[in-house]
Amino acid sequence: MIEALLLVIALGVFLLLLIGVSRDGRDDGAKLGLLAYREARPVGETTKRRRPGKGGRHA
Amino acid sequence: MRDLVMLGFMLLYVPLGLKNAFAGYLLWGWAGLMSVGAYLYGSMKGLPYAQIFALTTLASLILWRDQQRQPISLNRTLMWMSIFLAQGFMAALFAYPDLDRNWELFGNLAKTIFFCALMPILATSRLRIHAIVIMLGIAVSFHGMLDGLKFIASAGRHKAEGIDKFGDNNQFALMLVMVIPLLIYLFRYSEKRIVRWGCGVVGLLTVLAVVATQSRGGLLGLFILAAWIVIKGRHKAGGLLAIALATVLVTQLAPKEWNTRMHTLQNVEEDASFLGRVVAWKVSSAIALHNPVFGGGFRAVQSEAVWDRFYGAASLLDFIDTPRLKRSGVAAHSIWFEVMGDLGLVGFLLFLALLINALLTWRAITKLVRLNPVDALWASDLTDLLALVLVLYMVCGSALSAAYFEMPYIVMMLLEVIKQHLLRESVKAVPLPSS
């Protein structure tokens, strides 16, 4: 049962990938979550955003 | 029920593949590695998915004009692959008679190289390269995810055998360990948190699946992976934390028999299984010495008639004493000796040239990245991990018959595609002279 469910999820995820790829060019395929990639961050840079008022950019 | 669901997905997949050649190309690669038929039990089980999607891709390439398509050109990797394929054809043609899978394996190799030949035409942007990595990740790690979950659910008692397509538990372990570097890349470079963590969890489950195969080669692969992360990784602290987490999970879940089997890695000289492999290597190299140009044909060593003829003949490993084997027609158990016996010494040198070419491509990419170190950091990280995939293949494959697996060939061409992409980008970046 779980195997069947995971198979359906895998098939669905792959379908999302295909939709993203076929939208590329016409639209920005990377806007679809699965294909979206980011640039490398320098080592040591945190992923957490600083909150305003706590010494962040908006402080 | 599963078959009905699959039919539903096919009704969506095929039009997408027909509409967009690159989508068809991803489907083709996915179908070959995922082997979805292995998880179906009804009328959809025997469908030739890879062939269907290959035809879909070719039809789409002929019917529509893909804006991002590059013209067909002969690159160095494709050149070596083509020569290797030609050598395979000659070996199959002059093979010993009655080899069970001679033409079947040549056909598989030809399909793999044809698939790779189309990659430089279609994978022409970073997005498309990223999509190929996702495709490989989804297709292979699906098997790892399932066996990893079964391993946890059975508290370590489940033994992962894999599916027929991948061969035995050792070959399955090799396949799984080779996909982990790609999951690491996706974990680091996917924008959405859900995708990142999905890759992280599936990666961890795949590590457990490797343990569940009870393959010593698989464990060796995990050690290499851990060492690479510590030595080459830019995020050493995160890497060490992941290794520590995986080690705790493995030691808690692995059964006693697993520990006993893994300890035999320390005394291979007394290990009957290992010495049996050395005998197979001796026979394979004896076939190659007798047929240096075209070898004995695909899987010649597994033919009892060929084995019996070359058992005890002069080989490259005569300096190692081995016990007498009662069995006949044993698998080569090494990518190196497999190619040597099948395609001769010439085929072995071509196989070596293919792998050396891939490592040279990796070096060339490293040099190209230095020209644009910030924007091309992704390429540097991806190619480092792709090189790790090849290192894992070369080390773990040294004790397995896996010379014609699709994955290493796809990785070799992916390295070439990244190089071509960076070259195009560097040409674009050069300012035009002002008139």
Side-chain angles (χ1 to χ4, degrees), chain A residues 3 11 24 36 38-40, chain B residues 13 68 126 188-189 191:
Chain A
E3 186 180 286
L11 293 171
D24 183 41
R38 60 180 184 175
E39 295 309 323
Chain B
Y13 286 164
Q68 294 187 39
R126 183 179 169 189
R188 283 168 57 183
Y189 277 92
E191 176 68 41

Side-chain angles (χ1 to χ4, degrees), chain B residues 114-406:
Chain B
F114 183 51
F115 177 81
C116 292
L118 290 180
M119 202 188 290
I121 304 170
L122 290 166
T124 50
S125 63
R126 183 179 169 189
L127 185 93
R128 289 189 169 194
I129 292 167
H130 194 76
I132 290 180
V133 178
I134 297 176
M135 178 272 285
L136 293 172
I138 293 175
V140 182
S141 68
F142 176 71
H143 311 287
M145 179 177 68
L146 282 185
D147 278 307
L149 285 171
K150 285 176 189 170
F151 188 69
I152 294 173
S154 66
R157 282 190 298 276
H158 168 70
K159 187 181 176 192
E161 298 283 357
I163 54 171
D164 287 345
K165 183 188 158 64
F166 295 145
D168 65 11
N169 62 320
N170 294 308
Q171 287 157 324
F172 185 48
L174 172 67
M175 202 67 192
L176 293 179
V177 89
M178 280 166 67
V179 81
I180 298 171
L182 304 182
L183 294 172
I184 294 174
Y185 173 78
L186 292 174
F187 176 74
R188 283 168 57 183
Y189 277 92
S190 293
E191 176 68 41
K192 301 287 175 190
R193 194 171 289 178
I194 187 168
V195 180
R196 253 191 344 259
W197 285 103
C199 291
V201 170
V202 171
L204 211 54
L205 289 171
T206 306
V207 170
L208 292 180
V210 174
V211 176
T213 60
Q214 300 191 6
S215 161
R216 290 171 296 179
L219 182 72
L220 181 65
L222 291 179
F223 279 134
I224 295 169
L225 198 68
W228 186 285
I229 291 170
V230 173
I231 297 164
K232 288 271 306 173
R234 286 193 293 115
H235 301 271
K236 292 193 197 313
L240 280 169
L241 191 71
I243 292 165
L245 184 65
T247 312
V248 169
L249 263 172
V250 168
T251 47
Q252 290 300 308
L253 281 169
K256 204 175 164 187
E257 307 88 70
W258 183 84
N259 285 308
T260 316
R261 186 162 165 74
M262 296 309 134
H263 276 106
T264 60
L265 269 174
Q266 291 166 351
N267 48 356
V268 285
E269 299 87 14
E270 297 160 23
D271 182 7
S273 159
F274 179 74
L275 289 175
R277 285 173 192 211
V278 178
V279 176
W281 299 347
K282 279 184 173 180
V283 176
S284 293
S285 62
I287 297 171
L289 288 178
H290 198 259
N291 307 279
V293 182
F294 295 130
F298 287 85
R299 296 273 157 95
V301 70
Q302 283 180 249
S303 151
E304 289 191 2
V306 177
W307 176 281
D308 293 342
R309 184 176 162 188
F310 287 99
Y311 187 81
S315 77
L316 294 175
L317 300 174
D318 283 342
F319 57 92
I320 305 176
D321 285 329
T322 44
R324 183 153 186 89
L325 266 199
K326 287 175 188 156
R327 289 172 297 155
S328 179
V330 177
H333 280 113
S334 162
I335 51 170
W336 313 109
F337 288 100
E338 184 184 8
V339 172
M340 205 185 275
D342 292 1
L343 313 182
L345 294 174
V346 173
F348 171 72
L349 290 175
L350 288 171
F351 185 63
L352 214 57
L354 252 178
L355 289 162
I356 291 170
N357 172 64
L359 297 177
L360 289 175
T361 310
W362 173 38
R363 221 181 87 181
I365 293 169
T366 311
K367 281 183 186 165
L368 282 169
V369 168
R370 278 193 209 126
L371 297 175
N372 190 1
V374 178
D375 289 343
L377 203 53
W378 68 272
S380 169
D381 283 346
L382 179 55
T383 47
D384 279 355
L385 289 165
L386 291 175
L388 171 59
V389 174
L390 290 179
V391 169
L392 288 166
Y393 174 67
M394 287 189 272
V395 176
C396 302
S398 294
L400 288 176
S401 301
Y404 316 113
F405 267 8
E406 299 104 312

Side-chain angles (χ1 to χ4, degrees), chain A residues 13-41:
Chain A
V13 170
F14 196 67
L15 182 64
L16 280 180
L17 175 72
L18 296 177
I19 293 170
V21 159
S22 53
R23 278 176 60 175
D24 183 41
R26 225 169 5 104
D27 191 358
D28 187 2
K31 276 182 189 161
L32 274 173
L34 188 62
L35 268 169
Y37 52 77
R38 60 180 184 175
E39 295 309 323
R41 268 193 301 270

